[in-house]
């Protein structure tokens, strides 16, 4: 690309100066000027300066006596465009840009897309395919958050707890939106916290399923883990339920259950138990009647096929998960929980999403008798809280909440299979299960009828 500065009026009319690459030059009467115009006595010795960085031209007056005009206006500095007229002393110049070569793309803020000002464009090196520039507003926003893995930009905080914080971020090169879970520096001194993060990373790397958040990458800088994973643009299941104007339908809860159990079946087949199934670990997108589920937070997950690398994280007496959704197995021996504990957690979660209640009468997860109730008290039938729920559906959920693991659904897939008629029926509240056609649903229907333990 060429830029030509032509003298179109004055003592040196017809003289040209051609630029083909990044350069700066001075116009004036001085013989040392890059573009000397010695016969124009009204020009200053060093009158104005032009910087050319294809295709950008920038003019700066150098304190001349009579000033510099661009298109008739006195200027101190200005960006020049093809066809602009420069008047200085008795001379008139015209800038001409040869546009036969491909123009460079405009420089934009890598984060927000704002067009860069002219001075930023001038500073760009010629020949660069991609220029990384971040505007002042985005730089100011960035200072509010920790420094992420190189190449990522944090946009907002999503939440966090005692060991980690979760942020919404974007990969600058591809634009992909992600979630980054960072270990809190104060927690990094704890081997237990580091093992928690290391465990989640190892599990997610091995699990790939449409209903499990995806793993993208990680970084371990001096023991401060950062886990990059799929960003799900939706609330967790507890928030989703609270936002509904009316109680969720049986069909929508059945759909949530089937997807959750599909994720658990995949994890179990791969040799992992989640151990912390609860509404806040389910992320929900889609509409009310067709929710899409993503299972998250595998920090407590454990391989029940190989304990190498995980030994010592939990100790006798430890209880994981949230008290309202943990199984009796968690309380008896958290280290040894297997797949049935996840099936119990899934059942307790679906029970809560349907009713807004825990499975036990007057249950308080903070109460002194919470563990005793989980170990000894019978579950309150769902129909006590929701008479509109079919009895067969009630029994399916209650089977998942049995005290002893052997009495629950044998697998997550069997539990999901029992829920399918309620998700597929046009009106799930009136779904009819034919034991002769559906052996799994028949197994639930053969359970003892529910006993009323409390009023609606």
């Amino acid at each position: 690309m060429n830029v030509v500065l032509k003298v179109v009026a004055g003592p040196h009319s017809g003289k040209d100066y051609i630029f083909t690459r990044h350069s700066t030059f001075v116009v004036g009467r001085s013989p040392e000027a890059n573009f000397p115009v010695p016969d124009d006595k009204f020009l200053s010795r060093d009158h104005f300066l032009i910087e050319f960085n294809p295709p950008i031209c920038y003019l700066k007056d150098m304190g001349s006596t009579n000033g510099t005009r661009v298109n008739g206006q006195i200027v101190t500095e200005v960006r020049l465009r093809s066809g602009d007229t420069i008047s200085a002393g008795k001379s008139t110049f015209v800038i001409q840009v040869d546009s036969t070569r491909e123009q460079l793309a405009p420089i934009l803020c890598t984060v927000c897309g704002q067009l860069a000002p002219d001075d930023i464009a001038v500073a760009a090196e010629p020949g660069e395919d991609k220029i990384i520039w971040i505007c002042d507003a985005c730089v100011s926003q960035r200072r509010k958050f920790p420094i992420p893995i190189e190449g990522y930009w944090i946009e907002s905080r999503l939440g966090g707890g005692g060991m980690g914080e979760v942020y919404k971020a974007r990969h600058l090169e591809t634009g992909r939106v992600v979630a980054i879970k960072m270990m809190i520096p104060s927690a990094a001194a704890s081997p237990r916290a580091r093992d928690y993060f290391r465990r989640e990373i190892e599990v997610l790397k091995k699990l790939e399923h449409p209903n499990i958040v995806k793993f993208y990458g990680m970084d371990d800088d001096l023991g401060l883990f950062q886990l990059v994973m799929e960003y799900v643009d939706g609330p967790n299941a507890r928030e989703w339920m609270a936002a509904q104007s009316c109680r969720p339908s049986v069909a929508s809860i059945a759909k949530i259950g089937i997807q959750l159990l599909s994720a658990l079946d995949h994890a179990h087949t791969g040799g992992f138990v989640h151990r912390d199934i609860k509404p806040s670990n389910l992320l929900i997108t889609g509409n009310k009647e067709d929710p899409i589920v993503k299972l998250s937070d595998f920090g407590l997950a454990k391989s029940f096929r190989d304990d190498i690398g995980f030994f010592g994280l939990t100790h006798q007496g430890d209880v994981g998960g949230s008290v309202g959704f943990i199984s009796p197995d968690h309380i008896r021996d958290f280290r040894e929980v297997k797949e049935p504990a996840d099936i119990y957690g899934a059942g307790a979660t679906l029970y809560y999403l349907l009713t807004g209640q825990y499975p036990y009468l007057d249950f308080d997860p903070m109460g002194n008798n919470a563990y005793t109730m989980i170990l000894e008290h019978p579950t309150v039938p769902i129909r006590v809280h929701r008479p509109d729920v079919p009895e067969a559906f009630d029994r399916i959920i209650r089977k998942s909440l049995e005290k002893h693991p052997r009495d629950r659904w044998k697998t997550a897939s069997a539990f999901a299979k029992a829920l399918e008629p309620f998700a597929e029926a046009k009106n799930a509240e009136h779904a009819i299960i034919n034991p002769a056609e559906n052996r799994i649903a028949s197994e639930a229907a053969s359970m003892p009828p529910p006993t009323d333990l409390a009023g609606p």
Side-chain angles (χ1 to χ4, degrees):
M1 174 175 291
N2 297 333
V3 169
V4 180
L5 179 66
K6 299 177 68 70
V7 185
V8 297
H12 296 270
S13 181
K15 186 176 181 179
D16 295 346
Y17 198 107
I18 301 174
F19 307 91
T20 60
R21 59 186 177 83
H22 187 196
S23 60
T24 59
F25 65 100
V26 176
V27 177
R29 274 191 307 110
S30 171
E32 283 79 31
N34 305 91
F35 193 156
V37 189
D39 296 335
D40 188 340
K41 304 304 180 182
F42 291 89
L43 280 177
S44 296
R45 287 181 58 81
D46 297 310
H47 199 102
F48 63 85
L49 175 145
I50 289 180
E51 179 175 6
F52 171 56
N53 187 6
I56 306 299
C57 282
Y58 205 72
L59 178 146
K60 180 178 179 64
D61 182 82
M62 299 183 70
S64 63
T65 302
N66 297 314
T68 304
R69 287 174 169 81
V70 174
N71 300 326
Q73 300 293 320
I74 288 284
V75 299
T76 54
E77 54 184 75
V78 68
R79 178 176 174 176
L80 299 174
R81 305 181 187 279
S82 185
D84 282 350
T85 299
I86 304 168
S87 300
K90 294 294 184 179
S91 300
T92 303
F93 309 82
V94 172
I95 285 287
Q96 294 180 341
V97 179
D98 177 7
S99 59
T100 57
R101 294 177 65 187
E102 183 180 357
Q103 296 286 324
L104 295 181
I107 298 174
L108 305 176
C109 174
T110 307
V111 178
C112 69
Q114 175 184 317
L115 182 65
D118 293 341
D119 58 339
I120 297 298
V122 169
E125 289 298 323
E128 286 188 287
D129 294 331
K130 185 170 183 176
I131 297 171
I132 302 296
W133 174 74
I134 299 171
C135 69
D136 290 343
C138 289
V139 170
S140 177
Q141 175 73 6
R142 182 174 195 167
R143 294 190 179 117
K144 299 177 182 179
F145 304 113
I147 298 175
I149 297 174
E150 184 177 356
Y152 288 90
W153 185 271
I154 293 178
E155 297 183 347
S156 62
R157 180 181 180 275
L158 298 175
M163 289 190 293
E165 301 280 342
V166 183
Y167 299 91
K168 179 182 177 182
R170 185 150 50 88
H171 189 242
L172 291 176
E173 184 174 348
T174 65
R176 180 171 64 186
V177 178
V178 301
I180 297 182
K181 178 182 283 190
M182 293 186 183
M183 175 177 285
I184 295 174
S186 61
S190 165
R192 188 179 183 83
R194 293 198 301 273
D195 285 343
Y196 181 101
F197 268 75
R198 190 177 292 112
R199 172 174 292 179
E200 182 163 14
I201 291 166
E202 291 303 315
V203 173
L204 285 181
K205 284 169 64 175
K206 296 176 181 178
L207 297 180
E208 186 171 348
H209 187 275
N211 298 118
I212 296 176
V213 293
K214 294 179 182 177
F215 169 84
Y216 292 142
M218 60 81 65
D219 182 64
D220 176 10
D221 183 10
L222 300 176
L224 294 175
F225 290 102
Q226 294 191 37
L227 169 60
V228 183
M229 53 192 172
E230 178 183 8
Y231 170 69
V232 181
D233 189 11
N236 64 47
R238 184 188 289 270
E239 296 166 339
W240 174 85
M241 181 196 71
Q244 306 300 328
S245 57
C246 57
R247 288 177 170 180
S249 67
V250 171
S252 64
I253 298 304
K255 291 173 183 177
I256 288 174
I258 291 168
Q259 294 175 72
L260 166 59
L261 291 162
S262 177
L264 288 176
D265 183 64
H266 177 73
H268 295 167
T269 300
F272 293 98
V273 185
H274 187 284
R275 302 201 296 181
D276 196 18
I277 302 300
K278 57 186 177 182
S280 59
N281 280 340
L282 305 186
L283 302 175
I284 307 291
T285 58
N287 61 52
K288 179 180 177 181
E289 293 305 321
D290 288 298
I292 300 171
V293 175
K294 295 279 187 177
L295 177 59
S296 68
D297 202 343
F298 278 79
L300 289 177
K302 178 182 179 181
S303 169
F304 55 82
R305 293 181 178 174
D306 183 1
D307 280 342
I308 295 176
F310 297 150
F311 184 78
L313 176 60
T314 55
H315 305 279
Q316 192 70 28
D318 283 351
V319 178
S322 292
V323 175
F325 306 95
I326 61 173
S327 68
D329 328 2
H330 282 76
I331 299 170
R332 294 190 184 102
D333 189 352
F334 178 57
R335 287 173 55 90
E336 299 302 321
V337 294
K338 299 290 193 295
E339 304 102 304
D342 283 350
I343 289 173
Y344 181 102
T349 294
L350 299 181
Y351 187 109
Y352 185 86
L353 295 179
L354 262 178
T355 67
Q357 304 290 328
Y358 296 102
Y360 304 105
L361 182 63
D362 297 329
F363 181 83
D364 178 3
M366 303 300 293
N368 293 332
N369 64 341
Y371 290 171
T372 300
M373 294 180 76
I374 294 170
L375 289 170
E376 300 178 1
H377 287 209
T379 57
V380 177
I382 293 176
R383 286 166 57 84
V384 170
H385 306 290
R386 291 278 304 266
D388 59 306
V389 173
E391 184 175 323
F393 189 90
D394 191 345
R395 293 184 180 182
I396 289 169
I397 300 300
R398 288 176 62 210
K399 181 175 177 63
S400 70
L401 298 172
E402 287 289 341
K403 302 296 183 188
H404 201 287
R406 66 168 177 262
D407 296 325
R408 298 174 204 149
W409 295 101
K410 303 305 180 188
T411 63
S413 60
F415 189 179
K417 184 71 174 177
L419 295 175
E420 287 179 359
F422 299 92
E424 297 172 356
K426 185 175 181 181
N427 186 349
E429 283 74 6
H430 298 90
I432 299 175
I433 308 299
N434 186 339
E437 297 176 352
N438 191 329
R439 179 185 58 79
I440 297 176
S442 175
E443 184 180 347
S446 66
M447 293 173 57
T451 302
D452 290 344
L453 298 179

